[in-house]
Amino acid sequence: MDLEFNKNEDAMKLAVSEMKRRHGVISLGGGKKAMEKAREKGKMSPRERIQYLIDKGSTFTEIGSFAGYEMYKEHGGCPAGGTVAGLGYVAGRQCVIVANDNTVKAGAWFPITGKKNLRMQEIAMENHLPVIYIVDSAGVYLPMQDEIFPDKEHFGRIFRNNAQMSAAGITQIAAVMGSCVAGGAYLPIMSDETLMVEGNGSIFLAGPYLVKAAIGEDADQQALGGAKMHTEVSGIADYKFDTEQECLDQVRRIMDKLGEQPRRGYDRAKPAAPKRDAADIYGLVSAANNKQYDVVDVIKCIVDNSEFDQFKEDYGKTIVCGYARVDGWAVGIVANQRKIVKSGKGEMQMGGVIYNDSADKAARFIMNCNQKKIPLVFLQDVTGFMVGSRSEQSGIIKDGAKLVNAVSNSVVPKITIIIGNSYGAGNYAMCGKAYDPRFIYAWPNAKIAVMGGEQAAKTLLQIQVASLKAKGEEIDPEKEKAMLKEITDRYDSQTSSYYAAARLWVDEIIDPAETRKVISEGINAANHAKEEREFKVGVMQV
């Protein structure tokens, strides 16, 4: 291996190590003291509940673990958005699991909690997967109620989705292991089956304090909405248990008896490991996203037998397209090429930039994959579309629109991995969050922004300096340098993978070595989906 490879490998492994360290802090939820207090009540942590529930030795693909990261500091923070969630296997069935974390503000819903829960329901609806809710929540976080309660994509949308999923035949099971208050009380009751843990589980529209204030009645929590009352008197709950373990055992028994659903029929052969060492992936891509590399080498670390059949290999070289298998699944891969290449006309083209010919090629390839019912994988490391008079005269906007049209109207599952930069309209054309990928992940080095930090900072500096000079201020070189550093630092912090994951612009930050696994799990989920609409691309200039 060469020196550059070793430098990349060291830097990427450090980035992965830092990501895992941060995840370790997040996984403590509200902290060790809060967890110990919960255990005194016979409660497991949300992660322990999930690990107990899923099949032993199976994969749990966490989603949204960095939701809320470094947000809400004035409120004490909201680790993982106060919810642990992901894809897991229960009695052999792949399903969506959503578990409230009662150690984070008693499981109260922050704005990001609502966004994360809605994302998990979206995944369930798009892929027709059963949902298991592990409920332990105090309801809306009142100091921020205006940001979580009344709008279309707020708290109430959860219950609307409960109803829509039920109508669509998507199984929903609610295991109530703690509080379930006010509007939140509707979630378990709108699920297909409701299980409760006696002593800890409770479901009511108003707790003892509010009941006393509203109507003057003295009633304790269990009398208002405990497991015994709801299974023997109101009939709202279907089962009650003495322990959380017994409750989760029953969830497994329910899941074990679900009828089989028809599959979409995406092609899968016997899986084969890549021939190229998967660990090589660390040394290929610069953690700073500033070095050239051949994306085909990255692809060969991910795909079965390292076999990749390129489509139009000698045309539109700044986007690589081709067919492969990932863990047996047939896929079409669309990836930005980061090395400098020579066009068919003999011109040198910058890596990571989308040119007319590469946009044209990718659009055609996406249409082919839709025709053949082959899921798409996008590997993003893009700095945007080529600019300048030559590109404009060649119709770069037209060719870019053609690619965006194909991505927008694609009906096969799309899985996006941001492996480097994701800038400007390149983010859109390569199936960014706005283009409905079934799943979207980022490596720790990923950067998402309207443009690169250096260009953006210089542009913002010019505007700021001009404004100050117009007010009569003198700006010396030292002051200008300090202003540039401040702008650059602020901009860079807003482009990081952590900033994106905190706001759920990506589903999760992953170890690059996990890329193959999350693609396979994503296609397996998508293979449960109902019939997709007919593929049409609409009007486009050709």
Side-chain angles (χ1 to χ4, degrees), residues 315-392:
Y315 176 73
K317 295 180 182 179
T318 64
I319 292 183
V320 169
C321 300
Y323 302 103
R325 290 188 182 275
V326 175
D327 197 31
W329 295 105
V331 298
I333 296 175
V334 182
N336 299 111
Q337 178 59 280
R338 278 304 305 267
K339 70 177 184 178
I340 295 172
V341 296
K342 187 182 288 186
S343 75
K345 298 176 182 178
E347 302 159 341
M348 301 310 293
Q349 296 182 334
M350 292 186 291
V353 178
I354 302 175
Y355 288 77
N356 298 73
D357 52 359
S358 48
D360 176 71
K361 176 175 86 171
R364 176 64 179 268
F365 181 72
I366 290 165
M367 293 179 197
N368 275 348
C369 287
N370 276 273
Q371 189 88 331
K372 297 171 183 175
K373 209 165 81 168
I374 299 174
L376 284 159
V377 174
F378 292 84
L379 300 179
Q380 277 200 22
D381 190 352
V382 58
T383 53
F385 284 84
M386 190 60 192
V387 297
S389 58
R390 179 181 293 183
S391 289
E392 299 293 359

Side-chain angles (χ1 to χ4, degrees), residues 232-507:
E232 297 180 11
V233 181
S234 74
I236 279 175
D238 305 304
Y239 312 87
K240 71 174 186 291
F241 303 92
D242 293 329
T243 68
E244 293 190 353
Q245 289 84 352
E246 291 172 326
C247 181
L248 294 172
D249 288 341
Q250 179 63 29
V251 172
R252 290 183 57 79
R253 287 194 290 272
I254 294 170
M255 290 294 295
D256 182 55
K257 296 171 181 64
L258 292 187
E260 283 294 325
Q261 297 289 339
R263 298 291 189 261
R264 289 291 299 124
Y266 300 118
D267 187 68
R268 192 179 197 186
K270 184 179 179 181
K275 285 184 177 175
R276 176 152 192 176
D277 189 346
D280 283 357
I281 208 164
Y282 294 120
L284 294 170
V285 179
S286 160
N289 301 345
N290 59 0
K291 305 284 175 59
Q292 292 182 46
Y293 63 90
D294 189 342
V295 76
V296 175
D297 290 333
V298 174
I299 291 168
K300 287 184 176 180
C301 293
I302 297 169
V303 301
D304 292 15
N305 290 317
S306 298
E307 293 175 353
F308 180 56
D309 299 323
Q310 283 205 54
F311 174 80
K312 291 184 183 289
E313 183 175 356
D314 299 318
Y315 176 73
K317 295 180 182 179
T318 64
I319 292 183
V320 169
C321 300
Y323 302 103
R325 290 188 182 275
V326 175
D327 197 31
W329 295 105
V331 298
I333 296 175
V334 182
N336 299 111
Q337 178 59 280
R338 278 304 305 267
K339 70 177 184 178
I340 295 172
V341 296
K342 187 182 288 186
S343 75
K345 298 176 182 178
E347 302 159 341
M348 301 310 293
Q349 296 182 334
M350 292 186 291
V353 178
I354 302 175
Y355 288 77
N356 298 73
D357 52 359
S358 48
D360 176 71
K361 176 175 86 171
R364 176 64 179 268
F365 181 72
I366 290 165
M367 293 179 197
N368 275 348
C369 287
N370 276 273
Q371 189 88 331
K372 297 171 183 175
K373 209 165 81 168
I374 299 174
L376 284 159
V377 174
F378 292 84
L379 300 179
Q380 277 200 22
D381 190 352
V382 58
T383 53
F385 284 84
M386 190 60 192
V387 297
S389 58
R390 179 181 293 183
S391 289
E392 299 293 359
Q393 290 165 14
S394 298
I396 187 67
I397 297 174
K398 175 189 71 177
D399 290 319
K402 190 189 304 181
L403 176 53
V404 169
N405 197 323
V407 172
S408 302
N409 288 296
S410 177
V411 298
V412 295
K414 298 172 291 191
I415 297 173
T416 300
I417 316 288
I418 303 174
I419 67 174
N421 297 320
S422 180
Y423 293 156
N427 170 281
Y428 303 156
M430 291 295 292
C431 197
K433 180 70 171 180
Y435 289 78
D436 293 329
R438 292 292 177 94
F439 299 93
I440 178 168
Y441 297 98
W443 289 3
N445 57 302
K447 291 188 178 297
I448 303 170
V450 73
M451 65 177 74
E454 187 178 348
Q455 305 96 302
K458 287 179 178 177
T459 302
L460 291 166
L461 178 67
Q462 289 172 12
I463 295 168
Q464 201 166 316
V465 167
S467 175
L468 292 171
K469 285 182 177 179
K471 294 175 183 176
E473 289 191 35
E474 289 294 324
I475 308 296
D476 60 44
E478 281 302 310
K479 186 173 182 179
E480 189 170 319
K481 185 178 178 181
M483 288 170 62
L484 179 61
K485 184 181 186 308
E486 182 188 346
I487 293 168
T488 302
D489 290 347
R490 185 174 68 249
Y491 192 87
D492 284 347
S493 72
Q494 293 175 353
T495 66
S496 78
S497 59
Y498 296 102
Y499 193 90
R503 290 151 183 81
L504 291 173
W505 300 345
V506 296
D507 289 323

